[in-house]
């Protein structure tokens, strides 16, 4: 005969510097028992209003799902503390850490509503990093797309890059990595291939080569 399972909330306490509530749940089946700790944000606690005492299986599953969302939010906050993330990229990182696609998406959206994801400011910081690496506009655009920035945010990229002298940056890259503009045709082809990978246009490369020749 299948044994019945009873679920009871036996304790509720504050945790996480008061930002969370930890529910101690006792699950009993015959002589066997198991204790679970479910963490809820204060907002989830106010919404769900759990109280000590027996709960139904459906209610337990609801609280368990809320606890996973709380864990996704806290994981997302830690990831954002390490560096900028678009909502899409944050969701991908959360999925890699074991959260479902729905949990990851919902957590990223909620963190965005809380103001913890500012994609435009994050994009500008990413652009600054790319420019320090002397990347051209093409590679910068590809990099930002790979980071999952929203299309509306990317629409601001041309204005951000408008004042950048990419020919001068290309010349700086040539000095740094290639020692200037090569005279040997075979070496020049290899250098050109490298500059295209860095995202520079043929016109920017021609201007950079002219700048370097004028320095001789």
């Amino acid at each position: 005969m299948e044994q019945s399972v009873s679920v009871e909330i036996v304790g509720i306490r504050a945790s996480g510097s008061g930002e969370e509530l930890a529910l101690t749940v006792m699950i009993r089946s015959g002589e066997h028992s198991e204790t679970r700790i479910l963490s809820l944000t204060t907002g989830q606690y106010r919404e769900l209003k759990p109280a000590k005492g027996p709960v139904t299986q459906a209610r337990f599953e609801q609280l368990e799902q809320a606890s996973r969302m709380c864990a996704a939010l806290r994981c997302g906050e830690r990831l954002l503390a390490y560096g900028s993330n678009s909502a899409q990229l944050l969701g991908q990182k959360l999925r890699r850490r074991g959260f479902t696609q729905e949990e990851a998406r919902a957590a990223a959206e909620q963190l965005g509503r809380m103001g913890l994801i500012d994609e435009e400011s994050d994009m500008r910081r990413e652009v600054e990093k790319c420019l320090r690496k002397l990347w051209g506009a093409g590679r910068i655009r590809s990099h930002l797309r790979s980071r999952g920035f929203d299309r509306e945010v990317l629409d601001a990229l041309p204005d951000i890059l408008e004042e950048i002298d990419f020919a001068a940056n290309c010349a700086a890259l040539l000095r740094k990595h290639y020692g200037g503009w090569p005279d040997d045709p075979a070496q020049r082809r290899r250098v050109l291939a490298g500059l295209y990978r860095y995202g520079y246009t043929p016109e920017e490369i021609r201007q950079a080569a002219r700048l370097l020749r004028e320095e001789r």
Side-chain angles (χ1 to χ4, degrees), residues 64 82 97 148 192:
E64 195 173 36
Y82 281 113
R97 282 159 176 77
L192 282 170

Side-chain angles (χ1 to χ4, degrees), residues 67-84:
S67 182
R68 282 189 59 80
M69 177 56 63
C70 176
L73 288 168
R74 296 299 178 247
C75 183
E77 289 172 350
R78 290 192 295 273
L79 290 168
L80 290 170
Y82 281 113
S84 62

Side-chain angles (χ1 to χ4, degrees), residues 85-212:
N85 287 271
S86 65
Q88 180 180 327
L89 183 60
L90 181 62
Q92 292 172 358
K93 290 182 177 180
L94 289 171
R95 288 197 296 276
R96 289 199 292 269
R97 282 159 176 77
F99 296 101
T100 67
Q101 183 173 348
E102 178 60 27
E103 289 166 346
R105 182 194 60 77
E109 287 182 356
Q110 185 167 335
L111 290 168
R113 289 193 296 271
M114 293 165 61
L116 297 181
I117 300 176
D118 183 346
E119 291 207 6
E120 184 169 346
S121 296
D122 290 344
M123 184 191 71
R124 288 177 181 274
R125 282 192 289 271
E126 283 297 317
V127 169
E128 289 171 3
K129 291 178 186 176
C130 294
L131 291 172
R132 286 196 293 272
K133 296 175 184 177
L134 298 174
W135 287 5
R139 186 165 178 179
I140 293 172
R141 280 192 296 271
S142 297
H143 172 71
L144 294 176
R145 290 193 191 103
S146 73
R147 298 280 295 181
F149 286 102
D150 187 86
R151 183 176 297 178
E152 292 183 1
V153 175
L154 289 175
D155 286 342
L157 183 60
D159 291 335
I160 296 172
L161 299 180
E162 185 178 12
E163 301 300 321
I164 305 301
D165 188 342
F166 281 106
N169 284 6
C170 184
L173 181 67
L174 282 163
R175 294 189 201 96
K176 181 176 180 180
H177 291 298
Y178 303 103
W181 183 249
D183 294 321
D184 178 69
Q187 186 181 1
R188 192 181 302 156
R189 285 193 292 272
R190 289 193 295 271
V191 169
L192 282 170
L195 294 175
Y196 290 142
R197 286 194 296 273
Y198 267 88
Y200 288 104
T201 66
E203 178 59 28
E204 289 164 349
I205 295 170
R206 282 193 292 270
Q207 291 179 24
R210 186 164 58 250
L211 287 171
L212 293 175

Side-chain angles (χ1 to χ4, degrees), residues 1-5 29-30:
M1 182 176 178
E2 186 177 345
Q3 294 178 330
S4 63
V5 177
S29 177

